[in-house]
Amino acid sequence: MSKTGYARYIESSNELEVIRPGENSTRRIKCTNLNPNRDHVQGVEIHGDEIWVLTNTNKNNRPNRKFVYKFSSLSGGGSSGY
């Protein structure tokens, strides 16, 4: 069991596949506030309880927005620019 969680973005279903810290089972979070036709995912980072999905809108290599999800609630919704 890992003390840190695991998260990866699945583009085909617009979901995050996550494993909560200390658990073994995989769960999924729908990324309803992320539009895969507009937002291009550059990476996923874990910061404590938060899962950051880093995006931009023009396919360059520098993210300019992040969508925040949480392991504790397995939900999301917040976003912010850099």
Side-chain angles (χ1 to χ4, degrees):
M1 284 188 266
S2 175
K3 296 216 185 248
T4 60
Y6 164 84
R8 75 179 179 107
Y9 178 70
I10 303 170
E11 185 176 8
S12 61
S13 60
N14 194 33
E15 296 177 314
L16 282 174
E17 180 180 77
V18 302
I19 299 176
R20 285 180 171 174
E23 292 186 0
N24 293 325
S25 60
T26 302
R27 300 168 190 243
R28 292 205 174 187
I29 300 172
K30 286 277 190 195
C31 299
T32 55
N33 57 339
L34 192 153
N35 180 347
N37 297 320
R38 181 194 68 218
D39 302 310
H40 302 281
V41 175
Q42 297 295 316
V44 176
E45 293 183 6
I46 296 172
H47 295 272
D49 185 47
E50 294 185 342
I51 305 163
W52 295 358
V53 179
L54 307 174
T55 69
N56 65 33
T57 55
N58 57 6
K59 290 190 179 184
N60 67 20
N61 290 331
R62 189 168 185 206
N64 61 4
R65 188 173 193 169
K66 70 180 175 186
F67 292 87
V68 180
Y69 300 86
K70 294 184 181 276
F71 283 112
S72 59
S73 63
L74 287 181
S75 66
S79 68
S80 64
Y82 283 110

